[in-house]
């Protein structure tokens, strides 16, 4: 075959490998409405199932009467807990080691809880059937406050007490109270308290990180099809971890794993909401087994907001101590975590509060202690990581607020306080007081670049002038400069300490090179908008020297993809991306032997060069990867098996630690509470950059979700446990109109332990963005005496802050 | 979010509509753009066994502008209002207000008639129409009658329209002077936290006439005669502005919701009204 591209640069460009802003291959179908989502799946004879949901947050169920419902034309069946109990499916395990009702077993614990599953010919008949099911409830006292829950005589979960009413042990140790789930402690309590007692300066603050929701554009759903002839179950669904779902389905249903095929088709956003298992999945499977027909279940928006996995709901109290000069000496953090009616977070088993212990942030804090208490209340279950790994957003918000509060206490500039406490470049790998080994970082360089780009000193001078003008009555607008410097922890994770329900958190890639020099790669992950088909092909292109355009990436079908733990917590590039590179290297190793044979030299005498192997010192003698692929299949080579395939399972040696510096400049109208983001600068260091355009897209999306959470997005309950924000009228999803122009920037500090040095970027902008937006609001009020106020900073809460500071007098 | 089953009708003339309304009484409702009614049906908060579509009724989407009066057919969409240049010259407040309703998708569907007939305190057009002293034309089994916008709204979703009447048109005396529609909302697509419609006539330095209406601050729109009166005869100094705001605050009665508590809404109502008056004055 003739090699027409001659210059080396051309050959590199032709690959569209790492570093190239290659256009997303997914977008052709998404922009033309040709995606294939769960609700697009239509099978012959398919039925539709939907739930009767509880209007009450806490009630005993006295009876469920389906008689009238079964008379509704088109309704075939109504499943209740009683029907599931003989199969042992009325409860199911959660990913957090707890269990959860599939259908209300005698009582309900939150508004919207699944009570009965109506199976009908179509969704209209199902909706009418739901109306006709008569449920008799006896209301019980409602607890929506986790602190009150720990003092209440009301036992929410009967399975948390023994016959004497004493609290039994939970999945993570003893309970302090029947409504208590776990206590998780990290670090040195006594030493930390001593450091704080003896410190020059101590800042204390309590903050509430409100409950919110990932709200993916596509809601959750599934289609189950049980083939009674061959005994095989096919389950399509909105699964961020299809293999884990297969294993769970096998464990709880008793079907053998080879008889279950789980398929995640296109997924319209996940953000953590689609990691866990939902009653709808189980019920669609049972209904398909019962009826012998495929059954679809799709949530509507209200179902999704009210019942599927929420995020946050963390009450955090911190103490941070420092010397007079501002050198931090200790950090103490106490969290009360509201998990709702069931503990359904998706954290690795050994980390019941996720990676909250990254809460020492980017700072060299010698002594620290963290304690988290998980509590049951009458709210929906969840506690997932919304665009962050396992509580990292909470941790980063906590430390970035504590830094600001400490700066107030020290009467010091918050940018300077950060600078003097950053972990220094030469301290990496850095052992944190709460147990992590940060792989690499160069915080000072990033920070200085950020401050210089926005002219930080100029902004502070302008802010000072504005404060004076406000005091003189010349303006009603104040100005805030939001700072945030975050260190992320992603890529879960090393199997020795990371598993979910006992499943090790490795990931995988399997590659087959076709004889004509194109390839298919399959991974254990699943894209929900991250562009895996684009970026993973780029990694491979650089590793194996075939153009990215000639490589198909396929994910999400457990019958074809190698086992993996899925996509969430920015783990795909750190874990599956590493597996991809490693599998690529296996391909290359075999290709090297083939090339040497074809070139009639020793293996060690050829070397890889972009898209070919060349004879060392004689670059005109080469074999391209395309030629090698052809030979691998079609030429008898002594001592080498035909074919060119490889598989790699990658168990990461460590997590990766992306970081970044964000700055937000905001104007606030103190009379209306309206905020106006004038500027947002985001510097991200995610290590090696695979596709800069996709990185930028991820940053824009993550920042927008951060803006939403900081400025108004919440799941609010009244004291009777009614959800007040169950539709998009009240649940804030920003549109292009509310979103500012983002300026993105970067530094590159590769991960030393990752095969290509990449660290992951999907969640960084959210993790760093939330404190940045919040700090901008709080910073605007700092000159007027504010220390801390809780998010979300919507209009009325900002107005209230101004009002309480006397700014309307 | 699936509505209960309903019969769908698409009559070709008004008498066809009226006869279905007469036959089914409370069980029948007309649908215009559907962007208020359909969400209520999907939430099963509105039960409409007989749904009568007005799309095929001729002559209900016209806009006529004369020197004295503007007539807008009930089926005119909010987008049509924004798009109509004659209207923009004759009554620019209509375009300014319509641009602050919902988002383009909703405005392509939502109609003026639906907006004013709905009786939702959150709708922007009722207050606007009160400010402009519009009259609504209603056609029913007994023929046609008109009702002033200022007398149309009785309580949330309760209006002077009888069940078997159709609102066919809105007529506005061509407005004079400066105008402003000022609205605070949480995001695009949101109903008002507080909104104010203001028309002001200025003679030299003096305000000779004014009209003020507030939206989403009571269970009906609030046309505040006293607030307007506080401006007339003044040159809109800070004392007059404050008097107008104080008068308006007596008339409104907001309730707490996710947009905020009552104290906040009252404060914002004052700020929004002040801004609207200042802007209208600057254009007068
Ligand atoms: C996301 C979203 C945001 C919105 N934001 C705003 C906003 O900010 N401000 C705002 O003002 N509105 C807003 N709306 C409402 C929108 O403007 C509606 O379209 C409008 O209120 C109703 O007009 P319609 O033609 O859709 O009426 P429909 O929904 O068809 O009808 C509404 C009611 O009026 C009755 N009706 C309709 N036409 C007639 C008639 N000719 N005679 C008698 N009765 C009639 C119907 O029977 C029904 O009871 C929003 C809607 C949505 C979906």
């Amino acid at each position: 075959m003739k090699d027409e591209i001659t210059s080396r640069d051309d050959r590199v460009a032709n690959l569209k490998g790492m570093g190239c802003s290659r256009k997303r291959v997914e977008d052709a179908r998404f922009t033309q409405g040709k995606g294939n989502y769960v609700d697009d799946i239509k099978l012959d004879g398919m039925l539709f199932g939907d739930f009767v949901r509880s209007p009450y947050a806490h009630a005993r169920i006295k009876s469920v009467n389906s008689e009238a419902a079964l008379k509704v034309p088109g309704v075939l069946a109504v499943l209740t807990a009683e029907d599931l109990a003989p199969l042992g499916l009325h409860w199911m395990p959660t990913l957090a080691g707890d269990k959860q009702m599939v259908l209300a077993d005698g009582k309900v614990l939150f508004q919207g809880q699944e009570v009965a599953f109506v199976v009908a010919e179509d969704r209209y008949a199902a909706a009418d059937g739901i109306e006709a099911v008569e449920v008799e409830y006896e209301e019980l006292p409602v607890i929506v406050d986790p602190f009150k829950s720990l003092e209440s005589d009301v036992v929410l979960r009967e399975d948390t007490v023994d016959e004497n009413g004493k609290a039994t042990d939970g999945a993570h140790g003893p309970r302090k109270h029947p409504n208590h789930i776990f206590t998780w402690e990290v670090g040195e309590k006594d030493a930390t308290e001593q450091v704080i007692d003896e410190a020059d300066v101590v800042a204390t603050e309590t903050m509430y990180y409100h409950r919110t929701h990932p709200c993916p554009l596509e809601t959750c759903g599934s289609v189950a099809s049980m083939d009674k002839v061959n005994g095989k179950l096919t389950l399509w669904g909105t699964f961020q971890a299809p293999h884990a779902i297969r294993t769970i389905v096998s464990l709880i249903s008793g079907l053998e794993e080879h008889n279950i095929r789980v398929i995640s088709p296109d997924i319209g956003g996940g953000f953590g909401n689609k990691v866990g298992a939902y009653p709808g999945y189980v019920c669609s499977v049972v209904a398909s087994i019962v009826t012998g027909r495929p059954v679809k279940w799709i949530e509507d928006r209200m179902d999704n907001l009210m019942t599927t996995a929420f995020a946050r709901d963390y009450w955090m109290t911190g103490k941070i101590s420092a010397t007079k000069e501002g050198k931090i000496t200790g950090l103490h953090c106490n969290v009360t975590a509201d998990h709702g009616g069931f503990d359904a977070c998706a954290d690795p088993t050994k980390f019941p509060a996720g990676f909250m212990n990254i809460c020492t942030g980017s700072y060299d804090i010698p002594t620290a202690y963290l304690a988290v208490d998980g509590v049951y209340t009458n709210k929906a279950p969840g506690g997932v990581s919304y665009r962050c790994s396992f509580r990292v957003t909470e941790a980063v918000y906590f430390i970035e607020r504590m830094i600001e509060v400490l700066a107030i206490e020290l009467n010091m500039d918050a940018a300077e306080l950060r600078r003097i406490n950053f972990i220094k470049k030469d301290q990496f790998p850095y052992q944190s007081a709460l147990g992590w080994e940060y792989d690499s970082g160069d915080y000072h360089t990033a920070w200085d670049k950020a401050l210089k780009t926005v002219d930080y000193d100029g902004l502070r001078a302008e802010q000072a002038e504005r404060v004076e003008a406000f005091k003189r009555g010349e303006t009603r607008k104040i100005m805030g400069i939001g700072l945030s410097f975050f260190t992320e922890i992603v890529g879960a994770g090393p199997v020795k300490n990371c598993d979910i329900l006992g499943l090790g958190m490795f990931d995988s890639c399997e590659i087959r090179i076709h004889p004509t020099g194109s390839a298919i790669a399959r991974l254990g992950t699943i894209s929900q908008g991250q562009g895996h088909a684009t970026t993973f092909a780029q990694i491979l292109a650089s590793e194996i020297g075939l153009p990215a355009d000639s490589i198909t990436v396929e994910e999400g079908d457990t019958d074809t993809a190698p086992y993996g733990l899925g996509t969430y917590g920015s783990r795909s590039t750190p874990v599956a991306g590493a597996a991809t590179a490693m599998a690529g290297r296996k391909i290359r190793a075999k290709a090297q032997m083939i090339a040497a044979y074809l070139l009639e030299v020793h293996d060690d005498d050829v070397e890889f060069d972009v898209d070919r192997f060349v004879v060392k010192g004689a670059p005109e003698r080469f074999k391209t990867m395309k030629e090698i692929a052809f030979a691998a299949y079609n030429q008898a080579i002594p001592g080498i098996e035909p074919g060119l395939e490889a598989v790699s399972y990658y168990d990461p040696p460590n997590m990766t630690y992306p970081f970044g510096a964000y700055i937000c400049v905001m104007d606030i109208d103190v009379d209306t509470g309206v905020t106006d983001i004038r500027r947002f600068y985001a510097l991200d260091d995610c290590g090696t950059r695979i596709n800069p355009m996709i990185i930028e897209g991820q940053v824009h999306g993550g920042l927008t979700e951060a803006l939403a959470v900081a400025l108004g997005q919440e799941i609010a309950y009244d004291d009777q446990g009614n959800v007040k924000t169950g539709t998009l009228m009240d649940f804030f999803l920003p549109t292009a109109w509310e979103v500012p122009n983002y300026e993105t920037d970067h530094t590159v500090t590769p991960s030393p332990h990752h095969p290509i040095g990449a660290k992951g970027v999907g969640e960084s902008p959210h993790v760093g963005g939330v404190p940045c937006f919040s700090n901008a609001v709080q910073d605007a009020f700092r000159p007027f005496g504010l220390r801390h106020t809780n998010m979300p900073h919507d209009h009325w809460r900002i107005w209230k802050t101004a009002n309480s500071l006397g700014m309307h007098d | 979010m699936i509505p209960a089953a309903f019969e769908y009708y698409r009559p070709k003339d008004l008498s066809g509509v009226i006869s279905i309304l007469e036959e089914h009484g409370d069980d029948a409702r007309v649908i215009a753009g559907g962007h208020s009614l359909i969400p209520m049906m999907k939430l099963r908060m509105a039960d409409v066994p007989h749904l009568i579509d007005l799309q095929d009724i001729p002559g209900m989407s016209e806009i006529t502008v004369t020197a004295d009066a503007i007539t807008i057919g009930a089926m005119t969409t909010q987008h049509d209002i924004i798009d109509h240049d004659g209207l923009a010259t004759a009554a620019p407040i209509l375009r300014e207000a319509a641009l602050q309703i919902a988002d383009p998708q909703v405005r392509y569907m939502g109609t003026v008639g639906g907006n004013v007939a709905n009786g939702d305190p959150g709708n922007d057009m009722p207050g606007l129409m009160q400010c402009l002293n519009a009259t609504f034309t209603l056609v029913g089994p007994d023929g046609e009658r008109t009702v002033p916008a200022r007398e149309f709204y009785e309580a949330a979703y309760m209006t002077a329209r009888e069940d078997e009447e159709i609102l066919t048109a809105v007529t506005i005396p061509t407005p004079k002077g400066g105008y402003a529609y000022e609205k605070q909302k949480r995001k695009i697509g949101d109903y008002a936290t507080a909104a104010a419609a203001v028309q002001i006539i200025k003679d030299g330095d003096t305000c000779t006439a004014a009209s003020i209406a507030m939206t989403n601050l009571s269970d009906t729109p609030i046309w505040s005669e006293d607030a307007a009166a506080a401006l007339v005869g003044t040159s809109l100094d800070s004392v007059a502005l404050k008097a107008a705001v104080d008068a308006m605050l007596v008339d409104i009665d907001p309730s707490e919701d996710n947009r905020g508590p009552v104290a906040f809404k009252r404060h914002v109502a004052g700020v929004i009204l002040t801004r609207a008056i200042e802007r209208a004055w600057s254009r007068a």
Side-chain angles (χ1 to χ4, degrees), chain A residues 128 131 300 669 672 724 728 730 738, chain B residues 1 44 184-188 258 275:
Chain A
D128 290 341
E131 288 278 292
D300 66 23
D669 181 333
T672 58
K724 298 201 291 178
L728 295 186
D730 286 309
E738 286 84 19
Chain B
M1 297 287 271
R44 299 200 176 210
Q184 178 166 341
K185 54 187 174 184
R186 296 171 297 181
K187 58 178 178 184
I188 285 296
N258 286 332
R275 288 181 187 170

PDB file of all heavy atoms in Angstrom, chain A residues 128 131 300 669 672 724 728 730 738, chain B residues 1 44 184-188 258 275:
ATOM      1  N   ASP A 128     -54.625   6.261  33.586  1.00  0.00           N
ATOM      2  CA  ASP A 128     -56.001   6.132  34.079  1.00  0.00           C
ATOM      3  C   ASP A 128     -56.089   5.057  35.154  1.00  0.00           C
ATOM      4  O   ASP A 128     -56.823   5.201  36.127  1.00  0.00           O
ATOM      5  CB  ASP A 128     -56.956   5.790  32.916  1.00  0.00           C
ATOM      6  CG  ASP A 128     -57.135   6.975  31.966  1.00  0.00           C
ATOM      7  OD1 ASP A 128     -56.835   8.113  32.382  1.00  0.00           O
ATOM      8  OD2 ASP A 128     -57.552   6.757  30.816  1.00  0.00           O
ATOM      9  N   GLU A 131     -55.015   6.397  38.515  1.00  0.00           N
ATOM     10  CA  GLU A 131     -56.080   7.195  39.149  1.00  0.00           C
ATOM     11  C   GLU A 131     -57.090   6.309  39.871  1.00  0.00           C
ATOM     12  O   GLU A 131     -57.684   6.713  40.856  1.00  0.00           O
ATOM     13  CB  GLU A 131     -56.835   7.996  38.082  1.00  0.00           C
ATOM     14  CG  GLU A 131     -56.067   9.147  37.498  1.00  0.00           C
ATOM     15  CD  GLU A 131     -56.119  10.377  38.378  1.00  0.00           C
ATOM     16  OE1 GLU A 131     -57.207  10.954  38.507  1.00  0.00           O
ATOM     17  OE2 GLU A 131     -55.069  10.731  38.942  1.00  0.00           O
ATOM     18  N   ASP A 300     -41.806  10.657  34.354  1.00  0.00           N
ATOM     19  CA  ASP A 300     -41.991  12.017  33.880  1.00  0.00           C
ATOM     20  C   ASP A 300     -41.088  12.929  34.719  1.00  0.00           C
ATOM     21  O   ASP A 300     -40.388  12.471  35.628  1.00  0.00           O
ATOM     22  CB  ASP A 300     -43.471  12.428  33.877  1.00  0.00           C
ATOM     23  CG  ASP A 300     -44.077  12.518  35.261  1.00  0.00           C
ATOM     24  OD1 ASP A 300     -43.334  12.703  36.254  1.00  0.00           O
ATOM     25  OD2 ASP A 300     -45.311  12.421  35.355  1.00  0.00           O
ATOM     26  N   ASP A 669     -27.737  43.627  42.663  1.00  0.00           N
ATOM     27  CA  ASP A 669     -28.689  44.690  42.969  1.00  0.00           C
ATOM     28  C   ASP A 669     -29.265  44.393  44.354  1.00  0.00           C
ATOM     29  O   ASP A 669     -30.011  43.426  44.514  1.00  0.00           O
ATOM     30  CB  ASP A 669     -29.782  44.668  41.892  1.00  0.00           C
ATOM     31  CG  ASP A 669     -30.828  45.749  42.094  1.00  0.00           C
ATOM     32  OD1 ASP A 669     -31.037  46.162  43.251  1.00  0.00           O
ATOM     33  OD2 ASP A 669     -31.439  46.149  41.092  1.00  0.00           O
ATOM     34  N   THR A 672     -33.316  44.200  44.638  1.00  0.00           N
ATOM     35  CA  THR A 672     -34.112  43.118  44.052  1.00  0.00           C
ATOM     36  C   THR A 672     -33.468  41.754  44.270  1.00  0.00           C
ATOM     37  O   THR A 672     -34.113  40.732  44.041  1.00  0.00           O
ATOM     38  CB  THR A 672     -34.245  43.326  42.535  1.00  0.00           C
ATOM     39  OG1 THR A 672     -32.926  43.371  41.984  1.00  0.00           O
ATOM     40  CG2 THR A 672     -34.983  44.612  42.214  1.00  0.00           C
ATOM     41  N   LYS A 724     -41.629  21.110  47.295  1.00  0.00           N
ATOM     42  CA  LYS A 724     -42.117  22.416  46.814  1.00  0.00           C
ATOM     43  C   LYS A 724     -41.581  22.770  45.430  1.00  0.00           C
ATOM     44  O   LYS A 724     -41.978  23.753  44.832  1.00  0.00           O
ATOM     45  CB  LYS A 724     -41.709  23.515  47.804  1.00  0.00           C
ATOM     46  CG  LYS A 724     -42.322  23.333  49.189  1.00  0.00           C
ATOM     47  CD  LYS A 724     -42.330  24.633  49.973  1.00  0.00           C
ATOM     48  CE  LYS A 724     -40.935  25.067  50.369  1.00  0.00           C
ATOM     49  NZ  LYS A 724     -40.933  26.349  51.095  1.00  0.00           N
ATOM     50  N   LEU A 728     -40.247  22.143  36.617  1.00  0.00           N
ATOM     51  CA  LEU A 728     -39.206  23.060  36.138  1.00  0.00           C
ATOM     52  C   LEU A 728     -39.636  24.522  36.244  1.00  0.00           C
ATOM     53  O   LEU A 728     -38.842  25.412  35.964  1.00  0.00           O
ATOM     54  CB  LEU A 728     -38.818  22.716  34.705  1.00  0.00           C
ATOM     55  CG  LEU A 728     -38.162  21.339  34.547  1.00  0.00           C
ATOM     56  CD1 LEU A 728     -37.688  21.144  33.118  1.00  0.00           C
ATOM     57  CD2 LEU A 728     -37.008  21.143  35.517  1.00  0.00           C
ATOM     58  N   ASP A 730     -40.358  25.773  39.130  1.00  0.00           N
ATOM     59  CA  ASP A 730     -39.708  26.183  40.373  1.00  0.00           C
ATOM     60  C   ASP A 730     -38.311  25.607  40.543  1.00  0.00           C
ATOM     61  O   ASP A 730     -37.510  26.146  41.293  1.00  0.00           O
ATOM     62  CB  ASP A 730     -40.572  25.773  41.572  1.00  0.00           C
ATOM     63  CG  ASP A 730     -41.795  26.668  41.697  1.00  0.00           C
ATOM     64  OD1 ASP A 730     -41.621  27.894  41.694  1.00  0.00           O
ATOM     65  OD2 ASP A 730     -42.910  26.144  41.751  1.00  0.00           O
ATOM     66  N   GLU A 738     -29.540  32.876  31.094  1.00  0.00           N
ATOM     67  CA  GLU A 738     -29.029  33.114  32.454  1.00  0.00           C
ATOM     68  C   GLU A 738     -27.527  32.873  32.553  1.00  0.00           C
ATOM     69  O   GLU A 738     -26.920  33.132  33.588  1.00  0.00           O
ATOM     70  CB  GLU A 738     -29.727  32.178  33.459  1.00  0.00           C
ATOM     71  CG  GLU A 738     -31.171  32.550  33.800  1.00  0.00           C
ATOM     72  CD  GLU A 738     -32.164  32.031  32.792  1.00  0.00           C
ATOM     73  OE1 GLU A 738     -31.837  31.107  32.034  1.00  0.00           O
ATOM     74  OE2 GLU A 738     -33.288  32.574  32.735  1.00  0.00           O
TER      75      GLU A 738
ATOM     76  N   MET B   1     -47.979  12.763  34.141  1.00  0.00           N
ATOM     77  CA  MET B   1     -48.255  13.922  33.296  1.00  0.00           C
ATOM     78  C   MET B   1     -49.033  13.522  32.052  1.00  0.00           C
ATOM     79  O   MET B   1     -48.704  13.889  30.948  1.00  0.00           O
ATOM     80  CB  MET B   1     -46.938  14.607  32.895  1.00  0.00           C
ATOM     81  CG  MET B   1     -46.162  15.175  34.047  1.00  0.00           C
ATOM     82  SD  MET B   1     -46.925  16.655  34.704  1.00  0.00           S
ATOM     83  CE  MET B   1     -46.170  17.930  33.690  1.00  0.00           C
ATOM     84  N   ARG B  44     -53.657  16.882  35.777  1.00  0.00           N
ATOM     85  CA  ARG B  44     -55.003  16.487  36.198  1.00  0.00           C
ATOM     86  C   ARG B  44     -55.586  17.460  37.218  1.00  0.00           C
ATOM     87  O   ARG B  44     -56.383  17.086  38.075  1.00  0.00           O
ATOM     88  CB  ARG B  44     -55.020  15.038  36.690  1.00  0.00           C
ATOM     89  CG  ARG B  44     -54.591  14.068  35.579  1.00  0.00           C
ATOM     90  CD  ARG B  44     -55.017  12.644  35.817  1.00  0.00           C
ATOM     91  NE  ARG B  44     -54.649  11.827  34.648  1.00  0.00           N
ATOM     92  CZ  ARG B  44     -55.318  10.754  34.244  1.00  0.00           C
ATOM     93  NH1 ARG B  44     -56.366  10.332  34.889  1.00  0.00           N
ATOM     94  NH2 ARG B  44     -54.912  10.077  33.186  1.00  0.00           N
ATOM     95  N   GLN B 184     -39.835  41.608  37.158  1.00  0.00           N
ATOM     96  CA  GLN B 184     -38.752  40.812  37.737  1.00  0.00           C
ATOM     97  C   GLN B 184     -39.187  39.361  37.769  1.00  0.00           C
ATOM     98  O   GLN B 184     -40.278  39.023  38.204  1.00  0.00           O
ATOM     99  CB  GLN B 184     -38.401  41.272  39.158  1.00  0.00           C
ATOM    100  CG  GLN B 184     -37.299  40.382  39.760  1.00  0.00           C
ATOM    101  CD  GLN B 184     -36.660  40.954  41.001  1.00  0.00           C
ATOM    102  OE1 GLN B 184     -36.758  42.158  41.243  1.00  0.00           O
ATOM    103  NE2 GLN B 184     -36.010  40.133  41.790  1.00  0.00           N
ATOM    104  N   LYS B 185     -38.297  38.488  37.280  1.00  0.00           N
ATOM    105  CA  LYS B 185     -38.585  37.055  37.311  1.00  0.00           C
ATOM    106  C   LYS B 185     -37.289  36.335  37.634  1.00  0.00           C
ATOM    107  O   LYS B 185     -36.209  36.908  37.551  1.00  0.00           O
ATOM    108  CB  LYS B 185     -39.169  36.595  35.983  1.00  0.00           C
ATOM    109  CG  LYS B 185     -38.315  36.955  34.783  1.00  0.00           C
ATOM    110  CD  LYS B 185     -39.023  36.634  33.485  1.00  0.00           C
ATOM    111  CE  LYS B 185     -38.211  37.150  32.319  1.00  0.00           C
ATOM    112  NZ  LYS B 185     -38.837  36.973  31.037  1.00  0.00           N
ATOM    113  N   ARG B 186     -37.413  35.054  37.998  1.00  0.00           N
ATOM    114  CA  ARG B 186     -36.230  34.316  38.431  1.00  0.00           C
ATOM    115  C   ARG B 186     -35.418  33.840  37.253  1.00  0.00           C
ATOM    116  O   ARG B 186     -34.208  33.630  37.373  1.00  0.00           O
ATOM    117  CB  ARG B 186     -36.653  33.113  39.282  1.00  0.00           C
ATOM    118  CG  ARG B 186     -37.335  33.503  40.577  1.00  0.00           C
ATOM    119  CD  ARG B 186     -37.927  32.297  41.276  1.00  0.00           C
ATOM    120  NE  ARG B 186     -38.980  31.684  40.470  1.00  0.00           N
ATOM    121  CZ  ARG B 186     -39.684  30.623  40.845  1.00  0.00           C
ATOM    122  NH1 ARG B 186     -39.426  30.043  41.997  1.00  0.00           N
ATOM    123  NH2 ARG B 186     -40.635  30.129  40.070  1.00  0.00           N
ATOM    124  N   LYS B 187     -36.075  33.620  36.131  1.00  0.00           N
ATOM    125  CA  LYS B 187     -35.404  33.046  34.965  1.00  0.00           C
ATOM    126  C   LYS B 187     -36.320  33.191  33.773  1.00  0.00           C
ATOM    127  O   LYS B 187     -37.506  33.500  33.930  1.00  0.00           O
ATOM    128  CB  LYS B 187     -35.118  31.569  35.214  1.00  0.00           C
ATOM    129  CG  LYS B 187     -36.416  30.817  35.508  1.00  0.00           C
ATOM    130  CD  LYS B 187     -36.230  29.340  35.711  1.00  0.00           C
ATOM    131  CE  LYS B 187     -37.562  28.698  36.037  1.00  0.00           C
ATOM    132  NZ  LYS B 187     -37.489  27.298  36.351  1.00  0.00           N
ATOM    133  N   ILE B 188     -35.795  32.919  32.607  1.00  0.00           N
ATOM    134  CA  ILE B 188     -36.624  32.903  31.405  1.00  0.00           C
ATOM    135  C   ILE B 188     -37.717  31.857  31.578  1.00  0.00           C
ATOM    136  O   ILE B 188     -37.456  30.749  32.040  1.00  0.00           O
ATOM    137  CB  ILE B 188     -35.740  32.566  30.179  1.00  0.00           C
ATOM    138  CG1 ILE B 188     -34.897  33.767  29.802  1.00  0.00           C
ATOM    139  CG2 ILE B 188     -36.576  32.090  29.000  1.00  0.00           C
ATOM    140  CD1 ILE B 188     -35.685  34.962  29.349  1.00  0.00           C
ATOM    141  N   ASN B 258     -42.487  30.141  46.270  1.00  0.00           N
ATOM    142  CA  ASN B 258     -41.055  29.875  46.088  1.00  0.00           C
ATOM    143  C   ASN B 258     -40.287  31.104  45.613  1.00  0.00           C
ATOM    144  O   ASN B 258     -39.061  31.114  45.643  1.00  0.00           O
ATOM    145  CB  ASN B 258     -40.851  28.744  45.087  1.00  0.00           C
ATOM    146  CG  ASN B 258     -41.194  27.403  45.699  1.00  0.00           C
ATOM    147  OD1 ASN B 258     -41.092  27.218  46.907  1.00  0.00           O
ATOM    148  ND2 ASN B 258     -41.625  26.462  44.870  1.00  0.00           N
ATOM    149  N   ARG B 275     -39.086  51.881  39.028  1.00  0.00           N
ATOM    150  CA  ARG B 275     -38.332  51.815  37.770  1.00  0.00           C
ATOM    151  C   ARG B 275     -39.250  51.994  36.562  1.00  0.00           C
ATOM    152  O   ARG B 275     -38.882  52.647  35.587  1.00  0.00           O
ATOM    153  CB  ARG B 275     -37.598  50.478  37.671  1.00  0.00           C
ATOM    154  CG  ARG B 275     -36.437  50.440  38.638  1.00  0.00           C
ATOM    155  CD  ARG B 275     -35.678  49.136  38.558  1.00  0.00           C
ATOM    156  NE  ARG B 275     -34.685  49.104  39.629  1.00  0.00           N
ATOM    157  CZ  ARG B 275     -33.987  48.038  39.957  1.00  0.00           C
ATOM    158  NH1 ARG B 275     -34.144  46.911  39.287  1.00  0.00           N
ATOM    159  NH2 ARG B 275     -33.113  48.101  40.937  1.00  0.00           N
TER     160      ARG B 275
END
